[in-house]
């Protein structure tokens, strides 16, 4: 038996933040400059009283909830997740709306989008006051206070910790007059630490690092892709080690769910897909390639991104440079890699090959690798896997006097 009456659907009652926004009016008097009806002012006061309090313990908030509890739920030791999430969203809304001249509930503005707008706002203010302007690539690599706060929220281990971090972000948004879709935030809070957790993280990360150019498409119908991180990597850069550690943290993790990697993605994606936290083939391939590059480059003084070096070419060079390498064992390893059934299996076998290449200072073409990971099991490209398999095998067996 369900303990909560559903609030979704076409006939649901509006959430409190939606009611406040719908009933917002022009200023009526000096004492009510915000244009809020009296009932909304009382409600917002009750919401602020709920900050840091347990759901269901603030009498003034009970009538503001739209998630309805059954008797069973009221008598349970813990309130249902959806009720707890609504309590959190309500209190954050009360904090956000306090003293604001306009409604702060902005449908369509996800948390990541709001944080990106806040970052742009702060960057503009910094330039006005004579702050140093960073290059685009430096901006991607430099974590701002806003991005650090968002990343901290994204790594919260429970709902209480998440709300604690969001309470630090909301006043910054209010000060910059940036709103937030509280209906979406409520859904995100409901999905926290559930099977939908990855979608929430991806949406925040993709929104916070997106740009208007993401909607552009090339003449061939494929999205334009900015130069990848590995293409401009400089091992001598002071923060190179920290960046590579961030990339390695993505090994074995789902694409878009590792906040430390958000600033390194270059995959373009339309705003609608970003808002949904879509797990696209492009993103999966770039995530895998970035994590492998972080593993490959670790401790090396020269870039391991080597144009035209396929896995077959790299294995051939490994045999040529290291006479102690067991050819039969290496052929078996390459054979297992070439017979991978999908991108996940291919990534797994590349992960075991990369340390051998790193030890011998042999690189890989990571642009080529990203494309291979993108197309390996794409049903729209049924011949891609066999073509790549044949090419890599031919690269391995090719006779090259220079090697």
């Amino acid at each position: 038996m369900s303990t909560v009456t559903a609030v979704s659907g076409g006939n649901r009652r509006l959430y409190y933040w939606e009611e406040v926004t719908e009933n917002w009016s022009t200023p009526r008097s000096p004492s009510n400059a915000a244009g809020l009806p009296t009932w909304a002012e009382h409600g917002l006061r009750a919401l602020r009283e709920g900050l840091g309090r347990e759901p269901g313990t603030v009498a003034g908030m009970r009538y503001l909830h739209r998630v309805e509890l059954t008797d069973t739920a009221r008598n349970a030791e813990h309130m249902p997740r959806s009720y707890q999430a609504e309590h959190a969203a309500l209190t954050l809304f009360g904090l956000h709306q306090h003293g604001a001249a306009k409604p702060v509930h902005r449908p369509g503005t996800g948390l990541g989008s709001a944080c990106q707008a806040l970052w742009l706002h702060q960057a503009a203010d910094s330039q006005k006051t004579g702050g140093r302007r960073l290059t685009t690539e430096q901006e991607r690599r430099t974590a701002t206070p806003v991005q650090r706060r968002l990343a901290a929220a994204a790594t919260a281990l429970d709902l209480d910790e998440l709300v604690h971090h969001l309470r630090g972000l909301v006043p910054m948004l209010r000060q910059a007059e940036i709103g937030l879709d509280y209906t979406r935030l409520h859904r995100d809070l409901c999905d926290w630490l559930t099977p939908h957790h990855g979608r929430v993280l991806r949406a925040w990360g993709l929104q916070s690092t997106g740009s208007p150019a993401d909607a552009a498409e090339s003449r061939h119908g494929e999205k334009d892709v900015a130069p990848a991180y590995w293409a401009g990597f400089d091992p001598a850069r002071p923060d190179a080690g920290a960046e590579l550690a961030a990339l390695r943290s993505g090994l074995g993790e789902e694409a878009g769910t590792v906040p430390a990697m958000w600033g390194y993605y270059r995959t373009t994606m339309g705003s609608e897909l970003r808002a949904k936290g879509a797990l696209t083939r492009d993103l999966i391939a770039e995530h895998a390639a970035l994590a492998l590059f972080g593993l490959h480059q670790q401790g090396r003084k020269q870039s391991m991104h080597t144009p035209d070096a396929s896995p077959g070419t790299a294995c051939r060079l490994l045999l040529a440079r290291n006479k102690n390498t067991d050819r039969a064992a290496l052929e078996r390893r390459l054979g297992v890699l070439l017979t991978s059934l999908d991108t996940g299996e291919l990534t797994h076998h590349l992960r075991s090959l990369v340390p051998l290449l790193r030890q011998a200072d042999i690189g890989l073409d990571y642009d080529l690798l990203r494309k291979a990971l993108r197309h390996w099991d794409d049903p729209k490209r049924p011949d891609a896997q066999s073509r790549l398999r044949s090419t890599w095998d031919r690269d391995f067996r090719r006779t090259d006097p220079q090697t």
Side-chain angles (χ1 to χ4, degrees):
M1 173 181 174
S2 174
T3 58
V4 185
T5 300
V7 295
S8 61
N11 297 320
R12 72 168 175 84
R13 183 181 176 186
L14 296 177
Y15 287 108
Y16 177 71
W17 49 80
E18 294 173 330
E19 287 185 351
V20 170
T21 302
E22 189 174 83
N23 287 277
W24 198 279
S25 61
T26 56
R28 295 188 294 272
S29 68
S31 63
N32 187 12
L36 280 170
T38 303
W39 61 265
E41 291 181 320
H42 291 322
L44 291 172
R45 190 177 304 117
L47 296 186
R48 293 193 295 277
E49 292 175 2
L51 286 166
R53 303 277 294 276
E54 288 290 325
T57 62
V58 183
M61 283 186 63
R62 290 173 186 166
Y63 76 98
L64 304 179
H65 277 274
R66 300 300 177 254
V67 176
E68 299 177 7
L69 300 176
T70 63
D71 292 338
T72 303
R74 292 180 189 280
N75 296 325
E77 184 177 353
H78 299 290
M79 291 291 184
R81 173 184 290 273
S82 56
Y83 191 86
Q84 294 183 52
E86 189 184 21
H87 172 87
L90 283 167
T91 57
L92 291 169
F93 172 70
L95 179 64
H96 199 165
Q97 189 64 70
H98 181 53
K102 297 183 292 185
V104 299
H105 168 58
R106 309 278 174 81
T109 303
L111 181 63
S113 298
C115 287
Q116 187 195 43
L118 178 59
W119 171 72
L120 292 172
H121 174 83
Q122 293 179 341
D125 283 349
S126 176
Q127 278 191 276
K128 288 178 183 177
T129 57
R132 183 170 62 90
R133 177 77 170 110
L134 299 177
T135 66
T136 301
E137 189 57 32
Q138 285 175 322
E139 288 174 349
R140 288 180 182 272
R141 296 198 309 265
T142 303
T144 67
V146 175
Q147 291 167 329
R148 286 195 292 270
R149 284 180 180 270
L150 180 60
T155 54
L157 299 179
D158 55 39
L159 187 61
D160 289 339
E161 184 183 352
L162 172 59
V163 174
H164 170 75
H165 290 300
L166 293 179
R167 282 180 64 179
L169 270 171
V170 161
M172 299 169 71
L173 295 173
R174 180 184 63 207
Q175 186 177 10
E177 298 184 344
I178 296 170
L180 186 61
D181 187 333
Y182 275 87
T183 304
R184 176 174 292 177
L185 181 63
H186 174 238
R187 184 189 66 183
D188 290 346
L189 296 175
C190 286
D191 288 342
W192 197 253
L193 300 181
T194 72
H196 302 293
H197 185 76
R199 176 201 61 79
V200 176
L201 291 179
R202 256 191 312 279
W204 291 359
L206 292 171
Q207 290 168 24
S208 66
T209 57
S211 70
D214 284 349
E217 293 190 357
S218 70
R219 289 176 300 175
H220 302 290
E222 294 185 353
K223 294 177 180 177
D224 294 328
V225 180
Y229 168 79
W230 50 79
F233 178 76
D234 180 5
R237 199 163 56 229
D239 51 358
E243 293 175 6
L244 294 173
L247 298 184
R248 290 195 298 276
S249 68
L251 288 166
E253 301 295 333
E254 189 176 74
T257 63
V258 182
M261 291 186 67
W262 286 347
Y264 301 101
Y265 293 131
R266 304 293 181 265
T267 297
T268 57
M269 189 181 297
S271 57
E272 185 176 347
L273 290 177
R274 286 184 178 272
K276 292 179 179 179
L279 185 61
T280 65
R281 289 184 177 274
D282 290 316
L283 185 64
I284 292 171
E286 185 179 26
H287 174 91
L290 282 168
L292 289 168
F293 179 75
L295 179 63
H296 200 166
Q297 188 64 53
Q298 185 181 13
R300 299 299 93 184
K301 295 182 179 180
Q302 63 183 33
S303 176
M304 290 293 100
H305 168 52
T306 306
D308 300 323
S310 73
T313 300
C315 286
R316 175 167 52 82
L317 290 173
L318 184 60
L319 278 178
R321 293 184 186 181
N322 189 345
K323 302 303 182 182
N324 295 324
T325 301
D326 186 333
R327 183 183 181 92
L330 186 60
E331 285 185 337
R332 283 195 299 271
R333 184 184 292 274
L334 181 61
V336 170
L337 185 150
L338 294 179
T339 55
S340 299
L341 297 178
D342 54 36
T343 297
E345 188 178 347
L346 178 61
T347 303
H348 172 75
H349 293 308
L350 285 168
R351 184 175 174 180
S352 66
L353 175 63
V354 158
L356 300 178
L357 302 179
R358 180 185 64 207
Q359 189 174 9
D361 272 330
I362 296 172
L364 284 171
D365 186 332
Y366 276 86
D367 288 331
L368 181 153
L369 204 60
R370 176 175 61 181
K371 291 179 182 178
L373 290 164
R374 166 63 178 84
H375 300 309
W376 191 261
D377 56 354
D378 186 352
K380 294 182 179 180
R381 296 175 180 263
D383 61 331
Q385 187 176 132
S386 59
R387 188 180 67 254
L388 287 165
R389 186 179 292 137
S390 298
T391 300
W392 293 357
D393 183 62
R394 186 166 58 250
D395 289 343
F396 175 69
R397 302 186 186 285
R398 180 164 60 89
T399 301
D400 189 340
Q402 295 181 351
T403 60

